[in-house]
Amino acid sequence: MERTLSIIKPDGVEKNVIGEIIARFEKNGLGIAALKMVHLSKKEAEGFYIVHKDRPFYGSLTDFMSRGPVVLMVLEGENAIAKNREIMGATNPEQAEPGTIRKDFATNIEENTVHGSDSPESAAFEIGYFFNAFELVR
Ligand code: CMP
């Protein structure tokens, strides 16, 4: 069993596809170990994406991530990190496989509807950034 952090980004919430996205995770064998909806501040988004602080898109990315509510989830299952990335599709929706969340819903490389941890190390940091032990209900 493995855990990964998933975010439905502001564009996904605005497009009213929260339920459809969660259904794709569940249909693919990922369970939800924690879930909440929050509106991140600019500072909270900056802290979450601190690894990207030197990238040219850091300012715009953190503006986007703090413009409206997001859904934060901890997904759990066998190979959850890789499985979630497969279900999401490539970062750039133009390169995402048909049937993936980003192919079906993303606007562009920045407003790409979902986030998923890319390694066990980042999953540990990202889950700990948003959830405490009390909130991890399984
Ligand atoms: P995510 O998987 O959350 O990880 C970092 C995010 O930065 C990424 O999804 C996109 O939202 C954004 N991103 C990555 N590359 C670019 C880029 N070239 N231009 C703008 N935003 C980007």
Short mmCIF file of all heavy atoms in Angstrom, two decimals, residues 9 49 52 57 61 91 102 109-110 112 115, ligand 1:
data_model
loop_
_atom_site.label_atom_id
_atom_site.label_comp_id
_atom_site.label_asym_id
_atom_site.label_seq_id
_atom_site.Cartn_x
_atom_site.Cartn_y
_atom_site.Cartn_z
N LYS A 9 -7.33 21.19 -8.74
CA LYS A 9 -6.92 22.60 -8.75
C LYS A 9 -8.13 23.52 -9.00
O LYS A 9 -9.21 23.05 -9.39
CB LYS A 9 -5.85 22.78 -9.84
CG LYS A 9 -4.58 21.96 -9.56
CD LYS A 9 -3.49 22.25 -10.60
CE LYS A 9 -2.25 21.43 -10.30
NZ LYS A 9 -1.11 21.78 -11.20
N TYR A 49 4.60 24.70 -3.28
CA TYR A 49 5.39 24.56 -4.53
C TYR A 49 6.81 25.10 -4.37
O TYR A 49 7.41 25.50 -5.37
CB TYR A 49 4.66 25.29 -5.67
CG TYR A 49 3.56 24.47 -6.30
CD1 TYR A 49 2.24 24.93 -6.31
CD2 TYR A 49 3.83 23.25 -6.94
CE1 TYR A 49 1.23 24.19 -6.93
CE2 TYR A 49 2.82 22.51 -7.55
CZ TYR A 49 1.52 22.99 -7.54
OH TYR A 49 0.53 22.25 -8.15
N HIS A 52 9.68 24.63 -6.77
CA HIS A 52 9.65 25.32 -8.07
C HIS A 52 9.97 26.82 -7.93
O HIS A 52 9.76 27.59 -8.87
CB HIS A 52 8.28 25.16 -8.73
CG HIS A 52 7.95 23.75 -9.10
ND1 HIS A 52 8.77 22.97 -9.88
CD2 HIS A 52 6.88 22.98 -8.80
CE1 HIS A 52 8.21 21.77 -10.03
NE2 HIS A 52 7.08 21.75 -9.38
N PHE A 57 7.65 30.15 -13.94
CA PHE A 57 6.20 30.12 -13.78
C PHE A 57 5.74 30.12 -12.31
O PHE A 57 4.55 30.03 -12.03
CB PHE A 57 5.60 28.90 -14.51
CG PHE A 57 6.19 27.56 -14.11
CD1 PHE A 57 5.80 26.92 -12.95
CD2 PHE A 57 7.14 26.94 -14.93
CE1 PHE A 57 6.33 25.69 -12.59
CE2 PHE A 57 7.68 25.70 -14.58
CZ PHE A 57 7.27 25.08 -13.41
N LEU A 61 1.91 30.39 -11.24
CA LEU A 61 1.37 29.13 -10.71
C LEU A 61 0.74 29.35 -9.33
O LEU A 61 -0.36 28.87 -9.05
CB LEU A 61 2.50 28.08 -10.62
CG LEU A 61 2.17 26.79 -9.88
CD1 LEU A 61 1.07 26.00 -10.60
CD2 LEU A 61 3.43 25.91 -9.74
N THR A 91 1.79 16.41 -17.72
CA THR A 91 1.63 17.77 -17.20
C THR A 91 1.01 18.69 -18.25
O THR A 91 0.10 19.47 -17.97
CB THR A 91 3.02 18.34 -16.80
OG1 THR A 91 3.60 17.45 -15.86
CG2 THR A 91 2.89 19.72 -16.18
N ARG A 102 -6.19 15.09 -17.47
CA ARG A 102 -5.69 16.34 -18.07
C ARG A 102 -6.09 16.46 -19.54
O ARG A 102 -6.39 17.55 -20.01
CB ARG A 102 -4.18 16.44 -17.87
CG ARG A 102 -3.83 16.82 -16.42
CD ARG A 102 -2.40 16.59 -16.12
NE ARG A 102 -1.96 17.18 -14.85
CZ ARG A 102 -0.83 16.85 -14.24
NH1 ARG A 102 -0.03 15.95 -14.78
NH2 ARG A 102 -0.50 17.41 -13.10
N ILE A 109 -0.89 24.02 -19.83
CA ILE A 109 0.14 23.38 -18.98
C ILE A 109 0.08 23.86 -17.53
O ILE A 109 0.45 23.13 -16.61
CB ILE A 109 1.55 23.56 -19.59
CG1 ILE A 109 2.56 22.63 -18.92
CG2 ILE A 109 2.00 25.02 -19.52
CD1 ILE A 109 3.90 22.54 -19.62
N GLU A 110 -0.38 25.10 -17.32
CA GLU A 110 -0.47 25.60 -15.95
C GLU A 110 -1.81 25.20 -15.31
O GLU A 110 -1.83 24.61 -14.22
CB GLU A 110 -0.34 27.12 -15.92
CG GLU A 110 -0.48 27.67 -14.50
CD GLU A 110 -0.09 29.12 -14.43
OE1 GLU A 110 1.12 29.39 -14.27
OE2 GLU A 110 -0.99 29.98 -14.55
N ASN A 112 -3.84 22.81 -15.23
CA ASN A 112 -3.93 21.41 -15.67
C ASN A 112 -4.74 20.51 -14.73
O ASN A 112 -4.52 19.31 -14.64
CB ASN A 112 -2.53 20.86 -15.95
CG ASN A 112 -1.65 20.85 -14.72
OD1 ASN A 112 -2.06 21.29 -13.65
ND2 ASN A 112 -0.45 20.32 -14.86
N HIS A 115 -3.12 17.84 -9.47
CA HIS A 115 -1.72 17.64 -9.08
C HIS A 115 -1.60 16.26 -8.43
O HIS A 115 -2.53 15.82 -7.76
CB HIS A 115 -1.28 18.70 -8.05
CG HIS A 115 0.02 18.36 -7.39
ND1 HIS A 115 1.23 18.65 -7.97
CD2 HIS A 115 0.29 17.69 -6.25
CE1 HIS A 115 2.19 18.19 -7.19
NE2 HIS A 115 1.65 17.60 -6.14
P1 CMP B 1 1.95 20.10 -11.06
O1 CMP B 1 1.96 18.67 -11.37
O2 CMP B 1 1.07 20.58 -9.95
O3 CMP B 1 3.46 20.56 -10.73
C1 CMP B 1 3.91 21.88 -10.93
C2 CMP B 1 2.95 22.72 -11.69
O4 CMP B 1 3.50 23.84 -12.33
C3 CMP B 1 2.35 21.91 -12.86
O5 CMP B 1 1.53 20.91 -12.39
C4 CMP B 1 1.70 23.00 -13.65
O6 CMP B 1 0.48 23.45 -13.05
C5 CMP B 1 2.75 24.09 -13.51
N1 CMP B 1 3.71 24.08 -14.64
C6 CMP B 1 4.60 23.16 -14.97
N2 CMP B 1 5.30 23.51 -16.05
C7 CMP B 1 4.82 24.71 -16.41
C8 CMP B 1 5.14 25.61 -17.45
N3 CMP B 1 6.09 25.34 -18.34
N4 CMP B 1 4.44 26.74 -17.52
C9 CMP B 1 3.49 27.03 -16.61
N5 CMP B 1 3.15 26.20 -15.58
C10 CMP B 1 3.81 25.07 -15.49
#
